Amino acid sequence: MREGASMTEIWEMTASKIAADVRDKRLSAVEVAQAHLDRLARVNPAINAVVQEFPEEALEAARRIDATVARGENPGPLCGVPVTIKVNVDQKGHATTNGLRLQEGLVAAEDSPVVSNIRKAGGVIVGRTNTPAFSLRWFTKNDLHGQTLNPRNREITPGGSSGGAAAAVAAGICALGHGTDIAGSIRYPAYACGLHGLRPTPGRIPAYNSSAPDRFIGAQLMAVSGPIARSVSDLDVALAAMSAPDPRDPLYVPAPLGTADFPKRAALALSPDGMDVCQDVRAALLDAADRLRDAGWTVEETDCPPMRRAAAINACLWMAETQFGAGEMLVREGEADSQFVFARMSEDAGEVGFRSLMEALQARVGLVRQWELFLRDFPVVLCPASGELPFDQQLDVSSEANFARVFDAQLTQRAIPALGVPALCIATGEASGRPVGVQLVAPRYREDILLAAGRAIEAAGHPIQVASPDWS
């Protein structure tokens, strides 16, 4: 415990504070890394968030940061910040399992661009985090690594597919968690664990896994990496670090991180496309709207452009990817939960053929146009992160009816990736003993608008506290 810090433990500090303290030599990167590794050893056995550990590798990275600082050089914006990496992206020397026994020995020969960027920015990787098999669910459990529990409430999902990342951040194992998102896999775990999670615009953060073939059109259009954190400022610094260019990704877009002015005007969509929204979520949305108004924003309750058609396009593109590229692997892996979920999602999307894929791609352009025009008038859409509070563990695979309930409640999680716009989930507190929050949507490559609105909502609430699971 540090003296003169109001009894704050190092593992409770935000990424921004850690980077400043290491850069100014109030803390060493080794001291920070060791504190988080000790925290990992204490709490991870209770939650199973980190499933690949390499403490000596982390400490050696921290020592290099301290040497850089000692030379009077700047290690980068993540100077000494402890970070975790999700096990579905390549990190040199470690298996890119994606929660699969089939890939337990798939050791990466090189870092993916996002991992390279985190290292170049001075981040210290302290572990790799769990994901459901195939990163297919809003729950985190697989036959290789086991189940991840939510450190705020073991009875509810930590979210998925980046559930391990969110659980690690919430428990103080790391200050920043790397996640990926094709249908809510950053935003929903942040929501479920009482954190903030940013889904950037596709092309913003470079992507590439040398351990596997390039992905098909669905992932190329919709899959992104992004950060999960306990403060909006941390998301800001993480985005800057993760989005450095990398020539290995031909779809990378060197767009500025946002400098243009924008009107402080938000659309409040309480029930997008008529989705069912529980009273606790509705109350959180109304509260967030009031917080924005108090910060000088104009907020108008209105309908937003279609979500259901966008969600159907997401399902078509995602299932085209999975049916064509992973159907045989699903059988070989033999993991019951992912097979159940894949069957239900395939029923929803139907057997995706050439005609349905081409029609979905055609319809997508019109929807993107409709949303871009709407977002010119309302640079922010305030909408539900989910129609319900975080679900009970394993609810989606408990019955077909419960899967349908979960699927319907996740309408906004599924729709937004098909639209190519960035989105941010902001924690706003608790309701009925579970975390709750809201979701913000902005125009393409305007993550700065999301972060500005997120700061206004965050500033009117209480700082996010680290969870301390003490289960026996």
Side-chain angles (χ1 to χ4, degrees), residues 24-260:
D24 294 339
K25 302 182 182 178
R26 290 187 292 270
L27 284 172
S28 72
V30 168
E31 184 181 4
V32 171
Q34 190 62 64
H36 285 81
L37 291 170
D38 290 346
R39 178 68 176 172
L40 186 158
R42 285 197 302 274
V43 303
N44 195 60
I47 61 175
N48 193 38
V50 172
V51 293
Q52 294 176 5
E53 300 180 29
F54 32 86
E56 284 307 315
E57 185 179 324
L59 290 170
E60 178 56 32
R63 284 190 284 269
R64 290 195 294 269
I65 298 298
D66 286 334
T68 301
V69 172
R71 292 193 300 268
E73 300 170 7
N74 184 0
L78 295 180
C79 179
V81 172
V83 184
T84 54
I85 303 296
K86 188 175 177 181
V87 292
N88 67 347
V89 304
D90 284 353
Q91 181 179 336
K92 184 177 179 179
H94 301 284
T96 308
T97 69
N98 201 19
L100 304 177
R101 292 175 297 180
L102 289 172
Q103 295 185 185
E104 187 174 8
L106 186 65
V107 176
E110 61 181 272
D111 287 338
S112 70
V114 69
V115 173
S116 295
N117 284 345
I118 287 168
R119 292 194 202 274
K120 287 186 292 186
V124 174
I125 301 170
V126 296
R128 288 169 60 79
T129 53
N130 204 13
T131 188
F134 299 94
S135 294
L136 192 60
R137 302 170 59 205
W138 295 294
F139 302 74
T140 298
K141 181 176 179 289
N142 59 70
D143 289 345
L144 174 61
H145 300 304
Q147 183 173 34
T148 296
L149 301 183
N150 190 324
R152 302 201 187 278
N153 180 345
R154 67 181 300 170
E155 301 302 324
I156 64 175
T157 177
S161 60
S162 308
V169 175
I173 292 171
C174 58
L176 290 174
H178 157 268
T180 62
D181 188 316
I182 196 172
S185 290
I186 290 170
R187 293 163 290 142
Y188 189 68
Y191 174 79
C193 288
L195 303 168
H196 308 320
L198 175 64
R199 174 194 162 83
T201 311
R204 168 68 77 188
I205 293 175
Y208 171 61
N209 272 354
S210 65
S211 66
D214 288 316
R215 297 185 69 180
F216 299 105
I217 189 64
Q220 291 181 28
L221 289 174
M222 300 190 301
V224 300
S225 281
I228 297 171
R230 297 190 298 269
S231 81
V232 174
S233 292
D234 288 358
L235 295 180
D236 198 350
V237 69
L239 177 65
M242 291 179 174
S243 61
D246 191 298
R248 292 175 291 174
D249 185 358
L251 301 179
Y252 174 77
V253 177
L257 283 170
T259 55

Side-chain angles (χ1 to χ4, degrees), residues 259-442:
T259 55
D261 291 336
F262 59 90
K264 290 185 175 182
R265 188 163 56 245
L268 172 60
L270 290 172
S271 181
D273 242 359
M275 72 179 287
D276 290 334
V277 178
C278 74
Q279 285 302 311
D280 286 329
V281 171
R282 181 183 175 89
L285 288 164
L286 293 171
D287 173 61
D290 287 341
R291 296 186 194 188
L292 285 175
R293 291 187 184 101
D294 291 344
W297 288 67
T298 299
V299 181
E300 178 181 334
E301 186 176 340
T302 184
D303 291 331
C304 64
M307 286 273 194
R308 294 192 184 279
R309 183 65 180 116
I313 291 170
N314 175 286
C316 179
L317 296 179
W318 193 11
M319 286 301 99
E321 173 109 357
T322 309
Q323 290 171 5
F324 182 73
E328 185 264 342
M329 281 188 70
L330 275 153
V331 174
R332 286 171 54 211
E333 180 68 19
E335 202 258 357
D337 292 343
S338 58
Q339 289 180 333
F340 180 87
V341 169
F342 176 66
R344 304 287 78 72
M345 293 179 71
S346 291
E347 287 176 3
D348 173 75
E351 189 68 28
V352 180
F354 178 78
R355 183 180 183 87
S356 56
L357 179 60
M358 294 297 284
E359 288 175 347
L361 290 169
Q362 181 186 45
R364 177 180 178 272
V365 175
L367 276 177
V368 170
R369 181 185 301 115
Q370 194 172 348
W371 270 87
E372 284 295 313
L373 291 171
F374 184 81
L375 289 167
R376 284 191 176 190
D377 294 329
F378 295 98
V380 165
V381 174
L382 171 59
C383 65
S386 174
E388 297 192 27
L389 295 177
F391 307 117
D392 290 347
Q393 284 279 22
Q394 295 292 95
L395 180 67
D396 63 332
V397 294
S398 61
S399 70
E400 292 189 15
N402 280 333
F403 176 85
R405 170 187 161 189
V406 169
F407 201 64
D408 289 346
Q410 303 297 78
L411 173 63
T412 60
Q413 298 287 340
R414 296 183 286 119
I416 287 167
L419 301 170
V421 293
L424 169 64
C425 277
I426 290 287
T428 58
E430 277 196 0
S432 302
R434 302 188 180 207
V436 70
V438 299
Q439 184 166 208
L440 306 172
V441 184

